[in-house]
Amino acid sequence: MTRCLLLAGFLLIAATAHSHVEQRDQTKPKQGPVKKAPAKTASAKPAAKPAPKLLASAQDIADGEALLSKSDCLACHKVDQKLVGPAYLDVAKKYPATEASVTQLCAKVLNGGAGVWGQVAMAPHPALPAADAKKMVQYILSLNNAK
């Protein structure tokens, strides 16, 4: 008899639990089949940005540094501090390393100029070959990347 009562109690509990589940399911809105998100496929990585075109070769930059060290430029300029004229690092920060900047600064070196960095004029260097002036300017502009 004890077994019957236990079995009856178990069945009563099971039926009650089942009844509650059915009632709860009836109060929930019916949902359609669960849609799975599309599988992620290995997409191609975004194309890497092409390397920026170098303004000058490493050799031209080294040549420009050597030309500057032998020139009279160091009487007015230093790499990292202002003398009479601006520091080369300041020039490199002010002008982007582009062909247009190289052309503009070469003209300043060859023809002289004033007003951009103060009232003291930079002396012209007409005897300096334009190719040498270009290498010197390329070296100066490369200093902004050498931080």
Side-chain angles (χ1 to χ4, degrees), residues 20-142:
H20 287 288
V21 170
E22 283 181 358
Q23 287 176 358
R24 188 175 49 208
D25 287 346
Q26 289 175 1
T27 60
K28 285 186 178 179
K30 296 286 182 180
Q31 294 179 347
V34 177
K35 293 181 182 179
K36 292 184 179 180
K40 293 184 179 180
T41 58
S43 60
K45 292 182 181 177
K49 292 181 182 178
K53 182 181 174 188
L54 294 176
L55 185 62
S57 70
Q59 185 60 54
D60 285 343
I61 291 171
D63 290 348
E65 183 178 19
L67 288 165
L68 273 172
S69 69
K70 297 175 191 173
S71 72
D72 66 343
C73 299
L74 296 178
C76 296
H77 300 276
K78 279 192 158 192
V79 171
D80 57 355
Q81 72 185 86
K82 179 183 179 346
L83 289 178
V84 176
Y88 291 142
L89 281 172
D90 292 336
V91 174
K93 288 176 187 173
K94 182 176 179 85
Y95 294 94
T98 63
E99 285 297 330
S101 294
V102 170
T103 301
Q104 177 185 2
L105 294 173
C106 283
K108 288 242 183 203
V109 169
L110 296 172
N111 303 322
V116 176
W117 297 96
Q119 294 306 310
V120 178
M122 183 168 82
H125 299 83
L128 182 67
D132 288 354
K134 182 175 182 177
K135 289 179 182 179
M136 294 162 90
V137 168
Q138 289 170 329
Y139 162 71
I140 293 167
L141 294 181
S142 75

